[in-house]
């Protein structure tokens, strides 16, 4: 047993590997469960009692030296591998590095709408997305028993039933009329909420731009000219409009405005349901009662108002067929649009 220990000890001391693989090979040969040193420990049980102490010490010393030798050689090969690595220039940018960004399509269209009306002298007004009942409904001729107040249409704040998530940005115009004197010419872009089922054509949150113009001798002709200018600036100089009688609680008379289909150019297609026209907004002359509610002399001043969904305008401008795409943050969709 002692001769075998001395022989293995000399082999360990003189062992010099040429590769990491060779080190692993000798580790298995010496130190694995079926290795030579393990076999010596198995045979240790047969050593006479008077020799156990001496043999046990030499056997432990052999195992320790073999393990240290293997570890030293492994560390050497790992160190050599690191030294042979090519130097990395950390100042070189990663490749490929995409630093180009783009605005969300709703932001692009919102900015374009604001730009068009700003050139006509409209200012931009902003307001709270959580609004009280009076500004969101009552001041706009929507009485308490009106269907628009139903829980199916409106998100109410649980802690205060008198507060709602605004259903329209017209509430911002009420604040403006209360705190400003005519002439008033403003638009109110912002996010609104309605308790609707989400589908390709509808969502429980969307964006609106509401416009308001109040002054002396304002007429429906002024409204039509303003909306015609906007439509041609947004969709092209050949765009036509038509106004159809409609009903809104806060305007009288009221109308819905269609534009000639931007896809088929009025010839008829699936988007316009083969009519050649696509509805984009509602409008009308401000109801005198709304002016009274906001403290404006309805005998001296008149006004018009309009409101449009930014999603609807964006879908028409970029031919997007599903409104849900605007809210999914899919980078593949957003990358199709570039900031201008």
């Amino acid at each position: 047993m002692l001769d075998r220990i001395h022989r293995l000890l000399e082999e360990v001391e003189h062992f010099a590997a040429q590769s990491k693989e060779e080190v692993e090979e000798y580790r298995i040969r010496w130190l694995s469960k079926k290795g030579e040193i393990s076999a010596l420990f198995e045979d240790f049980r047969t050593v006479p009692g008077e020799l156990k102490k001496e043999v046990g010490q030499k056997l432990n010393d052999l195992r320790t030296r073999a393990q240290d030798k293997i570890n030293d050689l492994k560390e050497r090969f790992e160190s050599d591998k690191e030294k042979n690595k090519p130097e990395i220039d950390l100042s070189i940018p990663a490749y490929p590095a995409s630093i180009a960004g783009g605005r969300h399509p709703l932001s692009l269209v919102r900015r374009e709408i604001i730009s068009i009306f700003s050139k006509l002298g409209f200012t931009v007004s902003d307001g709270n997305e959580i609004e009280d009942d009076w500004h969101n409904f009552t001041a706009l001729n929507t009485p308490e028993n009106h269907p628009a107040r139903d829980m199916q249409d409106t998100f109410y704040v649980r802690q205060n039933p008198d507060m709602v998530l605004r259903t329209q940005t017209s509430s911002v115009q009420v604040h403006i009329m209360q705190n400003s004197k005519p002439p008033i010419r403003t638009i109110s872009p912002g996010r609104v909420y309605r308790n609707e089922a989400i589908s390709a054509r509808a969502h429980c949150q969307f964006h609106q731009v509401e416009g308001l113009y109040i002054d002396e001798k304002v007429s429906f002709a002024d409204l039509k000219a303003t909306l015609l200018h906007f439509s041609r600036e947004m969709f092209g100089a050949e765009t036509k409009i038509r106004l159809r009688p409609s009903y809104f609680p806060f305007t009288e008379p009221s109308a819905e405005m269609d534009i000639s289909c931007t896809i088929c150019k009025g010839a008829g297609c699936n988007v316009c349901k083969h009519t050649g026209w696509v509805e984009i907004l509602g409008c009308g002359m401000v109801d005198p009662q709304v002016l009274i509610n906001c403290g404006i002399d309805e005998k001296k001043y008149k006004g018009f108002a309009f409101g449009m969904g930014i999603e609807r305008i964006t879908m028409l401008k970029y031919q997007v067929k599903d409104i849900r795409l605007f809210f999914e943050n899919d980078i593949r969709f957003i990358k199709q649009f570039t900031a201008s």
Side-chain angles (χ1 to χ4, degrees):
M1 168 85 58
L2 288 174
D3 290 339
R4 291 167 60 192
I5 293 174
H6 286 301
R7 178 179 59 80
L8 275 176
L9 190 57
E10 289 184 6
E11 186 176 350
V12 169
E13 292 294 334
H14 293 89
F15 175 63
Q18 301 300 316
S19 66
K20 189 176 179 179
E21 290 74 16
E22 189 176 352
V23 174
E24 180 63 15
E25 179 183 336
Y26 272 84
R27 185 195 68 78
I28 295 173
R29 175 183 165 187
W30 293 334
L31 298 170
S32 66
K33 288 184 178 181
K34 295 183 180 181
E36 295 183 29
I37 295 177
S38 298
L40 287 173
F41 273 94
E42 288 291 329
D43 295 340
F44 180 72
R45 292 175 297 181
T46 65
V47 174
E50 64 275 12
L51 296 177
K52 279 188 178 293
K53 182 177 180 180
E54 180 185 1
V55 173
Q57 289 177 344
K58 292 186 178 295
L59 195 54
N60 286 329
D61 184 52
L62 171 63
R63 182 170 60 181
T64 301
R65 293 195 181 189
Q67 187 64 64
D68 290 344
K69 186 76 169 186
I70 295 296
N71 291 340
D72 289 343
L73 290 170
K74 280 186 175 181
E75 289 180 6
R76 192 191 75 185
F77 284 115
E78 289 292 337
S79 177
D80 290 345
K81 184 178 178 180
E82 290 295 325
K83 290 180 180 179
N84 292 330
K85 279 186 177 180
E87 288 190 12
I88 299 175
D89 186 353
L90 298 179
S91 66
I92 298 177
Y95 180 83
S98 176
I99 59 174
R103 293 183 182 272
H104 193 281
L106 294 180
S107 298
L108 288 173
V109 173
R110 180 181 186 273
R111 186 172 65 170
E112 188 171 357
I113 292 172
I114 291 174
S115 175
I116 293 171
F117 283 106
S118 294
K119 293 175 183 177
L120 295 176
F122 285 80
T123 61
V124 179
S125 304
D126 195 13
N128 298 325
E129 294 185 10
I130 299 178
E131 190 59 90
D132 63 77
D133 183 281
W134 192 87
H135 286 88
N136 194 77
F137 289 125
T138 305
L140 296 167
N141 284 354
T142 307
E144 291 186 6
N145 59 350
H146 195 283
R149 292 175 176 242
D150 193 274
M151 290 293 290
Q152 300 301 316
D153 298 319
T154 305
F155 288 107
Y156 287 84
V157 178
R158 184 174 181 180
Q159 290 81 358
N160 185 351
D162 191 52
M163 303 297 290
V164 301
L165 296 183
R166 65 183 181 190
T167 60
Q168 54 198 355
T169 56
S170 299
S171 60
V172 179
Q173 298 174 353
V174 175
H175 287 283
I176 296 296
M177 286 188 284
Q178 284 184 298
N179 297 293
S180 304
K181 293 182 179 180
I184 298 171
R185 188 180 299 183
T186 185
I187 58 172
S188 308
R191 182 162 45 195
V192 299
Y193 307 86
R194 294 181 188 174
N195 193 6
E196 298 183 358
I198 298 175
S199 66
R201 297 174 60 87
H203 209 284
C204 63
Q205 63 171 332
F206 54 98
H207 299 78
Q208 279 188 336
V209 174
E210 304 259 2
L212 176 69
Y213 177 38
I214 297 176
D215 203 349
E216 298 180 35
K217 299 180 181 180
V218 176
S219 68
F220 202 95
D222 298 319
L223 170 61
K224 180 181 178 181
T226 299
L227 296 180
L228 177 62
H229 173 78
F230 163 74
S231 300
R232 290 181 172 174
E233 287 290 308
M234 176 63 69
F235 298 105
E238 302 301 320
T239 303
K240 299 178 182 179
I241 68 170
R242 72 175 184 183
L243 296 168
R244 294 179 287 105
S246 186
Y247 166 75
F248 301 106
F250 38 85
T251 54
E252 180 60 37
S254 303
E256 290 181 343
M257 192 185 85
D258 304 330
I259 62 168
S260 52
C261 181
T262 58
I263 297 175
C264 66
K265 307 302 181 184
C269 66
N270 291 334
V271 174
C272 63
K273 300 180 181 179
H274 301 283
T275 64
W277 298 94
V278 179
E279 176 193 341
I280 66 166
L281 59 83
C283 60
M285 301 300 294
V286 178
D287 192 301
Q289 185 60 47
V290 174
L291 298 177
I292 295 173
N293 293 340
C294 297
I296 295 177
D297 186 351
E298 84 286 1
K299 295 180 180 178
K300 181 178 181 181
Y301 296 104
K302 298 183 182 298
F304 66 71
F306 57 86
M308 68 188 80
I310 298 180
E311 281 81 358
R312 172 65 65 88
I313 303 297
T314 307
M315 292 172 77
L316 289 172
K317 187 174 180 65
Y318 295 116
Q319 300 183 22
V320 178
K321 297 183 179 180
D322 194 326
I323 193 174
R324 291 169 293 192
L325 291 170
F326 296 126
F327 301 96
E328 291 176 352
N329 291 326
D330 189 331
I331 195 67
R332 296 170 299 178
F333 172 73
I334 297 176
K335 275 186 175 180
Q336 298 177 63
F337 306 91
T338 57
S340 58

